[in-house]
Amino acid sequence: MKRHLISAADLSRGDALLILDTAEELASLADRPIKKLPTLRGRTVVNLFFEDSTRTRISFEAAAKRLSADVINFSAKGSSVAKGESLKDTALTLEAMGADAVIVRHSASGAPQRLAGWVRGTVVNAGDGSHEHPTQALLDSFTIRRRFGRSASSRAASAGPADGALDGLRVTIVGDVLHSRVARSNVLLLHTLGADVTLVAPPTLLPVAVGSWPCGVSYDFDSALPKSDVVMMLRVQQERMNAAYFPSVREYSRRYGLDTARMAQLPDQAIVMHPGPMNRGVEIAAEVADSARSTIVEQVANGVSVRMAVLYLLLGGAEGES
């Protein structure tokens, strides 16, 4: 594996499977009375969050602490950043403190890449603008693999289609793709793992360059449902919108929301995902979010195992390369 995790494109198929297999082993810790491992004892992990976050920050903090790392939580609010300190100055401060890993979330796309050039430690992208969120894509793939019984622990650990990947699974990602870093990372990683990905959204909520992405595109949600093993709903990110991308919330929900009637069109084994936070009643109905087909709570729990695996492999368990 490389020294940093900035993009899902940084991961080869082998790297991704190594993370998923390691997360599978670490997930067993959740059933133990003492959930800690001494693997990263003496290492310092900094959560550097310039954007508000609950799930991701707590998930990374829990992951680092379960590996016995020292954790420093840095929030832009109430810090020198609020007084005008630059990202580079903040990076140099962290470098002086001896941070071994920096988990960074930033509103500017590309910020983690710049940070990686300024610090000697490992940088993990926890979401940058509308660009990427690689660990979310990893935990989504981990969740899919567990639901479909594709974990390497229960299959032959050989190369090829039986290596615990997601070959042949049909994944439909629906909603605000334009502003979604989760969608970008998922398309890249799911393609690497062999899944067949289709994006469904109104034309106004698709990126201009979506034709170059390794996926299909559709504007018709209902036609995609019967052909989907996984439906991943995306939040409408109104806080990032500076124009009217659709006529009204009601119209959007009518055409691209997942309600019980639409869920009935899915194949029997299909699952429903959402990276959170959800807009209940907009992109997903409450009954769907709380149904047995929903993996939303599992995704949160799996996030800790996957982020433990990422930190373990980047800091403790594998030889890195620059």
Side-chain angles (χ1 to χ4, degrees):
M1 287 181 62
K2 296 182 179 179
R3 186 159 60 95
H4 308 294
L5 179 55
I6 308 297
S7 164
D10 295 339
L11 299 171
S12 66
R13 183 179 172 105
D15 291 337
L17 289 172
L18 176 62
I19 293 171
L20 299 184
D21 291 344
T22 303
E24 192 71 53
E25 294 179 26
L26 292 171
S28 62
L29 282 177
D31 300 324
R32 288 173 30 172
I34 299 175
K35 298 178 172 60
K36 278 197 159 189
L37 290 175
T39 314
L40 299 185
R41 185 177 293 154
R43 300 295 191 104
T44 300
V45 176
V46 177
N47 280 330
L48 182 61
F49 279 62
F50 291 87
E51 279 189 325
D52 293 336
S53 168
T54 301
R55 289 170 183 77
T56 304
R57 184 183 61 77
I58 292 175
S59 182
F60 269 112
E61 183 176 359
K65 286 182 174 179
R66 287 185 187 180
L67 292 171
S68 301
D70 296 318
V71 181
I72 299 173
N73 287 316
F74 180 102
S75 173
K77 291 180 181 177
S79 72
S80 297
V81 172
K83 303 173 185 175
E85 183 173 81
S86 69
L87 177 63
K88 185 171 184 178
D89 290 333
T90 302
L92 295 176
T93 300
L94 298 176
E95 182 72 13
M97 291 179 180
D100 295 293
V102 180
I103 316 301
V104 60
R105 169 168 286 196
H106 203 285
S107 60
S109 299
Q113 185 73 50
R114 296 301 303 271
L115 189 68
W118 295 326
V119 299
R120 281 175 294 194
T122 291
V123 173
V124 179
N125 181 3
D128 60 331
S130 299
H131 179 227
E132 280 212 48
H133 194 352
T135 59
Q136 178 68 45
L138 283 163
L139 74 88
D140 290 340
S141 289
F142 182 74
T143 304
I144 293 170
R145 199 169 76 150
R146 280 194 137 192
R147 273 289 185 120
F148 283 89
R150 301 244 175 159
S151 75
S153 61
S154 61
R155 301 174 62 183
S158 59
D163 59 2
L166 307 178
D167 297 286
L169 280 177
R170 300 164 299 178
V171 181
T172 301
I173 302 175
V174 187
D176 185 4
V177 178
L178 179 63
H179 301 99
S180 177
R181 51 197 173 206
V182 172
R184 285 168 171 77
S185 289
N186 262 302
V187 167
L188 292 170
L189 183 63
L190 289 167
H191 173 72
T192 297
L193 291 172
D196 181 10
V197 184
T198 301
L199 298 176
V200 176
T204 51
L205 288 177
L206 288 169
V208 173
V210 73
S212 64
W213 293 17
C215 62
V217 175
S218 173
Y219 309 124
D220 187 348
F221 191 14
D222 291 298
S223 69
L225 286 167
K227 300 176 286 185
S228 303
D229 297 307
V230 179
V231 175
M232 186 181 298
M233 305 305 297
L234 302 175
R235 181 173 65 89
V236 177
Q237 299 189 38
Q238 294 181 331
E239 75 277 8
R240 298 186 191 274
M241 295 183 181
N242 54 9
Y245 289 88
F246 45 83
S248 68
V249 171
R250 178 178 291 183
E251 175 68 11
Y252 176 87
S253 183
R254 186 180 70 81
R255 293 199 59 188
Y256 294 99
L258 184 60
D259 55 18
T260 51
R262 282 203 167 105
M263 187 168 67
Q265 299 179 48
L266 290 168
D268 291 342
Q269 81 284 2
I271 60 173
V272 175
M273 308 185 77
H274 195 302
M278 293 180 285
N279 291 320
R280 288 176 180 248
V282 180
E283 73 269 4
I284 189 167
E287 312 88 74
V288 176
D290 299 330
S291 71
R293 289 191 171 197
S294 169
T295 66
I296 296 166
V297 176
E298 290 171 48
Q299 287 170 263
V300 175
N302 291 340
V304 177
S305 300
V306 166
R307 286 166 177 136
M308 284 177 69
V310 168
L311 291 173
Y312 168 74
L313 292 169
L314 290 176
L315 292 179
E319 287 293 324
E321 60 184 52
S322 58

